[in-house]
Amino acid sequence: MANERVIPWQPTVIAGPKQALLVTPETAELMIKKAKRPLFILGPLVKEDPLRTYATKIAEKWNLPVVTTADAYKPFYEKGLNPTAYGVVEIVNLLKDPEWQGVDGKGQHDLVIFLGCIYYIGSQGLSSLKHYAPHLKTLTICKFFHSNADASFPNLKDEEWFKYLEKMGEVG
Amino acid sequence: MIVVAPKPKSEPKKFKDEFWKTKDIKISIRDIVEKDGEREVSEEETPIGPTPKPHVTDLRSWDMKLLSRYEPFYAPFCDMCCLCTFGKCDLLNKKGACGINSEAQQARIVLLACNIGTAAHAGHARHLVHHLIDELGEDYPLDLGLNIDIEAPITRTIIGKKPENLADLAETLNYVEEQLSHLLSACHTGQEGSSLDFESKALHSGVMDDLAREVGDLAQIVTLNMPKGDGDAPLVEMGVGTIDSTKPVVLCIGHNVLPGSNVMDYLDETGQEEDFEVCGICCAAIDISRYNDRAKVVGPLSRQLKFIRSGVADVIIVDEQCVRTDVLEEAQNKNTAVIATTDKMCLGLPDMTDEDPDVIVSKLLNKEIEGALILDPEKVGEVSVKVAKILSPEREKLKLLPELDEVQKMAAECTECGWCTRVCPNSKPMMEAVIAARDGDFSGFEKLYLNDVCYSCGRCEQECERELPLMSMLAKVGEKLAKTEKFNIRAGRGPVQDVEIRRVGAPLVLGDIPGVIAIVGCSNYPDGGKEVAEMAKEFLERNYIVVATGCGAMSIGEYLDEEGKTLYEQYTGDFDARGLVNIGSCVSNAHISGACIKIANIFAKKPLEGNFEEIADYILNRVGACGIAWGAYSQKAAAIATGVNRWGIPVVVGPHGSKYRRLYLGRTDKKENWKIKDLRTGKIMDGEPAPEHLIYAAENMEEAIVMTAKLCIRPTDTGKGRQIKLNHYIDLYKRYYGRLPPDIHLFVRNEKDIPITYKKDVKEILEEVGWEPREIPQEPSLMGMDGD
Ligand code: SF4
Ligand code: SF4
Ligand code: SF4
């Protein structure tokens, strides 16, 4: 069964020989620590609690600038974050441009963490960044293994996933 | 000087009339011409613009202008290429053995998809025109009645002349086919190397698709006497619940009207029209019901597998495009007879075209043949009716699905492996539905069944390790729900009338009517068909003109309000504010770009003939139209979207649309991309990101609604018009995002643009970003900019 956890959640998104690195909450945190200009992208699949709370805590703990996709803006704004709203294809389009100055105008991001975008359009966005954004790394902490990311959580059951996210948001 | 046939004084001849059935009468309009005395007309006085019958590269400079503003955004669906035996090549940060890079490869695949789509429409149109010329003669006139003078606006613009008869349609197809062979050849290994040039070719292919669709629909409208732009075309029954399965049932699947129309004719001729049910899935349904409103519409493509599995149909007639390719196997399991009717889809069946109909009937009934390929539509009519009549009482349709307790027993075999949900394109909870059914709770299946949340693609069933017949289980649970599925749809009306264009031209271009929303395309929806109806309703209530075609038009009709009424019953079919206009099938999409072209011609007096760029430039800058292809899946949909893009009409696709690999996205942060030339003053000046994108994939419905409202903004809106458009944009943005749109300042040119209701809030934002009023161009244009 271990194998099944790293077959992409929707198995046919497999694009080629390159596969994402499998990460745990600990390695995911290392990636965030190492990044100079990380960005956290939150999609509509995590706009309800408890996921909204986990996501918010992660953003707060790591002081991450947040972009919301689709209609995820309102629930996260209400939760106290100050996100920027983009369509998922719009933000990916900006991220692949090395000249873009980032959501805060201070320079292009070097790590993008995805959580909660609809799987297949998220996968397409990740593919775009894999091909055309060599200047940044992508990390997904969704419940699903995303082979088009540089690094991804494996496929997880809800309980495991919640634990992973909780861990990443724990202060101390 | 050319000689043309005079327009008939009365109704054009009806193809379904008894008269045409007599084989040996060959109609030649020339005879009539001679009897009436020749009518001479002088060569068209309209001047011909710069690009009649443009070759692949002739509109390239226009394409490059579009592409520098709306840069291609690529999302590879696959890292590799396997098109030649050098490969497979891995194109991730590498070039292929032929030298191609990843971007060019994506664009190449998009071009290929567009070419496939265009070929499907061109093949379809060619089949119709060829057949109709055989039956009616090539002089058969194209008469769309009194209300439509600018018939064939696409053909006029691209070919450079108005088509008068079927022969002219055939000539247009000659041109399309020639272009298509050049375009397809560019996909060969070692041809084009630039992604932008691939895109320019894809745009050309899209416009060839436009032409092919216009030809196809005109041919069927004039010869089969379909509605000619009638706003009050009849309501047609739709839904599985409207079909009386105790009668023999003939089901047509696909896009070509001829087999189905001949079934209707045969029933009429033999006086059996009350004794049979003739129904359709996908565009064949729409087009047969445009021909004869007694034909019923089962629904969009999402119904296909579950309806076949339900076993209601005694005979299935397939023609072309979007038909399940395993239809024969599926039908055989239900003892349903299959008749294939076009060269596009022969299914390995024996060619019975030249056999006596009764011989075919007996061979089918005795199972001497698995099914029949019959390439003569008239014969299809007779054979299908005769077979259905005998087969129907034998089939005991009601016992074809497992009983509910059997469904429960099957469900008990589930191992909870979860793969059904994983392979589902929308990750729908099939496993949960099965687990619940094990305990006799069928609500999970019901939720999947209703609104086609599960669109019966059958992938889950293919994957199931216990080989559970998940689609049959779904169809069984849905059986009792299906009985209540009684909807309707307004029969496809075809083109928009000239008088309607005169009426709405000014309010549309000035912005008083906030936009034309075209709901088109297939049923690859992320979350069922209901969202499509909800989008239509939203824009109708806001005074937009909503036009629809194909599966989208059907999904709109499947939504009932509290009083049990469909949107088609609540809104008129007029092309006007708050009109819900079913234009027709996929090929009828031509009339949507056609309507925009007619606005340029009738309202702004722009000449059409050979004048593509000026017309497209006008539409891009002035006509606030936006397409929504929420479930676009096919290569035809790729061609259609790319075609309307080249005319300057933006499109929003659903999340699955990201798999087309390419979008055209604008960048509001790059001010220089939005420069325009004011043709009135000759000055190059700052423009607006209006429309902001040309083809955009939204992640969910909420995002799509807001984006669609924004994409209706045009640089020529008057202050009042802009206020109306911004009011809707702000209103919708606030509803779904809980705040004012942060980019609102980009669309406020001066204070007159600010909607009164939001004056205070908008002014706050303007102040925050240091906004300053801008000069408004009088005739904004991309023409005369760099590249010309
Ligand atoms: S067409 Fe080019 S990229 Fe594709 S397999 Fe052949 S050599 Fe490789
Ligand atoms: S038939 Fe297709 S859409 Fe329906 S549940 Fe199965 S995989 Fe999903
Ligand atoms: S694939 Fe079959 S066995 Fe596996 S969970 Fe789905 S229904 Fe059960």
Side-chain angles (χ1 to χ4, degrees):
Chain A
M1 289 303 269
N3 180 28
E4 292 213 344
R5 288 159 69 95
V6 290
I7 295 173
W9 168 254
Q10 289 193 346
T12 52
V13 305
I14 282 208
K18 177 163 186 295
Q19 292 294 303
L21 218 64
L22 183 66
V23 291
T24 59
E26 291 75 22
T27 32
E29 287 184 341
L30 276 177
M31 286 180 76
I32 299 176
K33 248 184 233 165
K34 236 181 105 187
K36 294 196 179 70
R37 302 207 22 78
L39 177 70
F40 197 17
I41 299 186
L42 296 171
L45 299 183
V46 292
K47 66 186 184 191
E48 275 156 37
D49 277 327
L51 288 157
R52 182 173 71 141
T53 306
Y54 295 141
T56 306
K57 287 201 169 144
I58 296 171
E60 284 167 350
K61 173 177 168 188
W62 298 96
N63 198 16
L64 299 169
V66 172
V67 159
T68 53
T69 69
D71 59 338
Y73 176 86
K74 194 172 163 190
F76 284 103
Y77 179 78
E78 282 166 1
K79 194 80 187 163
L81 294 179
N82 182 24
T84 312
Y86 281 113
V88 63
V89 298
E90 283 176 318
I91 183 64
V92 169
N93 193 34
L94 293 170
L95 285 166
K96 75 180 178 55
D97 175 1
E99 304 298 321
W100 186 56
Q101 290 303 304
V103 277
D104 47 12
K106 291 181 189 153
Q108 183 56 287
H109 300 278
D110 60 350
L111 173 71
V112 189
I113 308 133
F114 284 86
L115 173 61
C117 291
I118 290 175
Y119 187 79
Y120 52 90
I121 193 170
S123 176
Q124 286 301 93
L126 288 163
S127 166
S128 201
L129 295 174
K130 177 173 81 174
H131 279 259
Y132 311 119
H135 48 275
L136 55 78
K137 295 263 176 291
T138 57
L139 163 69
T140 60
I141 54 172
C142 289
K143 185 183 148 178
F144 312 120
F145 186 64
H146 262 294
S147 54
N148 278 322
D150 288 312
S152 169
F153 276 0
N155 297 314
L156 296 164
K157 295 238 176 326
D158 273 349
E159 316 84 76
E160 287 175 287
W161 183 38
F162 290 177
K163 263 190 219 142
Y164 272 31
L165 294 177
E166 214 173 350
K167 215 178 214 168
M168 285 185 68
E170 262 168 24
V171 185
Chain B
M1 268 197 322
I2 52 170
V3 179
V4 295
K7 285 195 178 161
K9 291 186 188 79
S10 57
E11 283 267 12
K13 299 286 182 286
K14 291 180 187 169
F15 184 45
K16 58 180 168 179
D17 282 355
E18 201 47 50
F19 179 74
W20 305 103
K21 298 289 164 200
T22 325
K23 271 281 151 63
D24 45 7
I25 295 191
K26 277 272 172 279
I27 297 299
S28 162
I29 302 294
R30 295 249 179 255
D31 297 345
I32 304 170
V33 173
E34 272 153 31
K35 267 186 222 134
D36 285 1
E38 285 185 2
R39 191 162 65 99
E40 292 178 356
V41 292
S42 55
E43 204 67 70
E44 283 286 309
E45 276 137 40
T46 3
I48 297 287
T51 53
K53 290 196 175 180
H55 185 65
V56 175
T57 49
D58 288 346
L59 299 173
R60 188 169 174 254
S61 76
W62 169 252
D63 298 336
M64 293 305 167
K65 281 176 211 154
L66 284 181
L67 294 168
S68 64
R69 210 195 227 201
Y70 305 104
E71 285 176 52
F73 165 89
Y74 295 113
F77 204 22
C78 179
D79 296 346
M80 315 227 262
C81 174
C82 55
L83 281 176
C84 86
T85 67
F86 268 151
K88 293 181 183 175
C89 294
D90 179 2
L91 301 176
L92 179 63
N93 306 319
K94 293 180 276 286
K95 292 190 223 167
C98 60
I100 203 164
N101 67 19
S102 169
E103 271 142 333
Q105 173 69 5
Q106 305 317 308
R108 179 187 186 199
I109 301 291
V110 173
L111 172 60
L112 193 56
C114 289
N115 288 343
I116 294 171
T118 301
H121 285 136
H124 174 188
R126 178 60 88 180
H127 177 264
L128 282 173
V129 169
H130 187 94
H131 179 81
L132 293 169
I133 286 178
D134 267 2
E135 295 276 329
L136 305 170
E138 56 178 17
D139 295 333
Y140 191 89
L142 303 184
D143 181 7
L144 285 173
L146 294 175
N147 294 322
I148 296 169
D149 281 334
I150 316 295
E151 56 284 86
I154 297 172
T155 308
R156 284 174 184 241
T157 312
I158 303 291
I159 300 291
K161 73 169 197 188
K162 169 186 164 190
E164 303 280 356
N165 51 29
L166 291 177
D168 287 343
L169 295 185
E171 191 196 319
T172 300
L173 289 175
N174 292 345
Y175 162 72
V176 168
E177 286 159 355
E178 185 204 329
Q179 294 303 302
L180 196 53
S181 76
H182 292 299
L183 292 166
L184 187 55
S185 100
C187 299
H188 192 276
T189 301
Q191 302 261 42
E192 191 54 77
S194 143
S195 59
L196 289 182
D197 267 310
F198 270 125
E199 293 297 349
S200 167
K201 291 178 175 69
L203 290 162
H204 193 58
S205 182
V207 166
M208 293 307 107
D209 185 64
D210 262 323
L211 268 177
R213 277 181 273 116
E214 185 171 84
V215 166
D217 211 32
L218 283 184
Q220 60 182 9
I221 291 174
V222 296
T223 57
L224 303 189
N225 200 29
M226 290 177 174
K228 299 183 172 85
D230 313 338
D232 56 355
L235 289 170
V236 176
E237 285 184 274
M238 179 169 73
V240 180
T242 64
I243 294 160
D244 178 356
S245 55
T246 61
K247 292 181 184 174
V249 177
V250 176
L251 168 68
C252 300
I253 310 178
H255 289 76
N256 194 318
V257 67
L258 291 174
S261 63
N262 276 279
V263 175
M264 301 308 285
D265 287 350
Y266 183 77
L267 288 172
D268 282 345
E269 279 159 26
T270 53
Q272 302 182 84
E273 62 271 20
E274 299 297 329
D275 310 335
F276 279 73
E277 291 278 26
V278 179
C279 56
I281 287 180
C282 208
C283 286
I286 289 201
D287 282 344
I288 301 166
S289 64
R290 289 165 86 189
Y291 176 66
N292 184 325
D293 59 21
R294 253 185 310 100
K296 289 175 181 168
V297 178
V298 174
L301 200 60
S302 44
R303 302 262 155 178
Q304 191 168 197
L305 189 53
K306 45 187 178 183
F307 190 69
I308 298 174
R309 287 281 175 94
S310 75
V312 168
D314 297 298
V315 173
I316 296 178
I317 299 172
V318 296
D319 51 84
E320 54 184 302
Q321 304 155 33
C322 308
V323 184
R324 276 198 75 91
T325 52
D326 60 353
V327 61
L328 184 60
E329 187 189 331
E330 286 288 345
Q332 278 171 338
N333 291 337
K334 299 290 169 191
N335 190 20
T336 301
V338 171
I339 301 175
T341 59
T342 71
D343 56 283
K344 313 296 181 303
M345 186 176 208
C346 301
L347 297 171
L349 297 172
D351 187 349
M352 310 299 279
T353 311
D354 297 326
E355 284 284 351
D356 178 74
D358 290 318
V359 173
I360 313 176
V361 172
S362 103
K363 286 194 172 183
L364 276 169
L365 289 171
N366 298 329
K367 308 267 180 303
E368 280 172 54
I369 47 178
E370 282 192 301
L373 172 64
I374 308 177
L375 298 170
D376 171 359
E378 207 176 314
K379 210 171 267 182
V380 173
E382 179 177 350
V383 172
S384 60
V385 168
K386 286 183 169 169
V387 170
K389 189 170 185 174
I390 302 174
L391 204 52
S392 175
E394 288 176 6
R395 284 180 64 244
E396 297 192 77
K397 290 180 213 183
L398 302 174
K399 299 198 185 113
L400 289 171
L401 286 171
E403 290 303 324
L404 272 181
D405 55 345
E406 287 173 86
V407 171
Q408 191 173 344
K409 261 189 225 139
M410 291 172 185
E413 288 183 39
C414 167
T415 59
E416 301 188 24
C417 73
W419 276 97
C420 43
T421 302
R422 278 180 73 171
V423 297
C424 174
N426 289 314
S427 309
K428 291 296 170 210
M430 180 53 93
M431 181 177 82
E432 274 88 338
V434 175
I435 294 174
R438 194 165 62 191
D439 304 324
D441 169 6
F442 299 109
S443 61
F445 270 117
E446 284 174 8
K447 275 192 208 132
L448 288 173
Y449 184 88
L450 287 171
N451 294 309
D452 291 351
V453 164
C454 155
Y455 45 43
S456 66
C457 70
R459 259 161 79 163
C460 50
E461 191 180 88
Q462 288 296 310
E463 198 72 24
C464 178
E465 58 184 15
R466 304 310 308 251
E467 296 185 9
L468 296 179
L470 297 170
M471 287 301 93
S472 302
M473 293 158 78
L474 180 84
K476 179 63 196 179
V477 176
E479 211 173 36
K480 74 171 193 297
L481 303 172
K483 294 208 175 73
T484 63
E485 290 180 323
K486 294 184 180 170
F487 313 113
N488 57 45
I489 178 171
R490 198 171 293 286
R493 60 174 273 180
V496 173
Q497 297 177 13
D498 298 8
V499 308
E500 292 174 301
I501 299 288
R502 280 193 192 97
R503 196 165 56 221
V504 303
L508 256 176
V509 170
L510 303 176
D512 293 349
I513 294 177
V516 181
I517 309 296
I519 297 186
V520 301
C522 341
S523 54
N524 190 12
Y525 306 131
D527 200 20
K530 197 170 164 209
E531 290 188 337
V532 176
E534 285 173 6
M535 290 192 259
K537 188 161 178 269
E538 183 70 62
F539 288 108
L540 283 165
E541 283 172 357
R542 291 176 179 275
N543 250 6
Y544 289 73
I545 304 173
V546 176
V547 300
T549 57
C551 287
M554 297 185 230
S555 296
I556 291 173
E558 290 180 331
Y559 168 87
L560 301 175
D561 70 358
E562 298 84 41
E563 288 163 34
K565 282 197 173 145
T566 67
L567 292 172
Y568 290 108
E569 290 170 289
Q570 293 172 55
Y571 293 90
T572 75
D574 296 331
F575 188 79
D576 204 342
R578 293 172 79 84
L580 174 56
V581 190
N582 177 16
I583 298 280
S585 57
C586 290
V587 283
S588 316
N589 277 309
H591 309 306
I592 300 178
S593 349
C596 297
I597 298 166
K598 289 215 268 187
I599 292 174
N601 179 250
I602 298 174
F603 175 68
K605 309 258 180 309
K606 300 268 178 208
L608 298 182
E609 284 70 13
N611 202 22
F612 175 85
E613 183 165 347
E614 193 181 354
I615 298 296
D617 186 60
Y618 183 91
I619 296 172
L620 175 72
N621 285 295
R622 292 169 188 250
V623 182
C626 180
I628 303 178
W630 196 233
Y633 90 100
S634 67
Q635 296 93 353
K636 290 191 302 164
I640 294 170
T642 308
V644 303
N645 279 171
R646 203 191 207 189
W647 291 103
I649 305 167
V651 178
V652 174
V653 291
H656 286 292
S658 61
K659 300 176 197 166
Y660 279 126
R661 302 166 173 80
R662 184 269 283 134
L663 302 168
Y664 293 142
L665 302 181
R667 288 275 300 267
T668 57
D669 59 323
K670 289 187 172 176
K671 229 176 151 189
E672 67 281 8
N673 286 6
W674 304 99
K675 291 243 186 265
I676 47 102
K677 180 169 186 170
D678 188 344
L679 291 181
R680 197 73 63 82
T681 59
K683 217 166 65 178
I684 307 276
M685 54 195 284
D686 285 341
E688 305 178 279
E692 184 173 333
H693 305 294
L694 260 194
I695 180 161
Y696 180 88
E699 199 176 353
N700 65 13
M701 176 186 74
E702 291 78 5
E703 181 186 349
I705 289 178
V706 175
M707 182 52 80
T708 303
K710 179 156 78 166
L711 292 181
C712 288
I713 300 173
R714 291 296 175 279
T716 48
D717 300 333
T718 59
K720 184 167 152 244
R722 180 61 62 91
Q723 274 194 35
I724 294 171
K725 291 184 183 187
L726 290 185
N727 198 56
H728 292 303
Y729 175 45
I730 296 175
D731 212 32
L732 289 163
Y733 198 97
K734 270 194 95 170
R735 184 194 302 166
Y736 294 120
Y737 294 78
R739 60 167 290 184
L740 252 63
D743 60 356
I744 192 74
H745 58 283
L746 299 175
F747 304 104
V748 178
R749 298 161 302 183
N750 58 41
E751 298 218 357
K752 287 195 194 118
D753 288 349
I754 307 174
I756 297 166
T757 347
Y758 295 109
K759 195 142 211 156
K760 200 172 136 272
D761 301 337
V762 171
K763 279 192 149 177
E764 263 171 41
I765 296 189
L766 296 184
E767 227 157 88
E768 250 171 64
V769 300
W771 168 90
E772 280 185 22
R774 293 191 304 269
E775 202 184 335
I776 302 177
Q778 297 172 46
E779 261 186 77
S781 170
L782 293 189
M783 293 170 73
M785 302 274 294
D786 287 353
D788 279 336

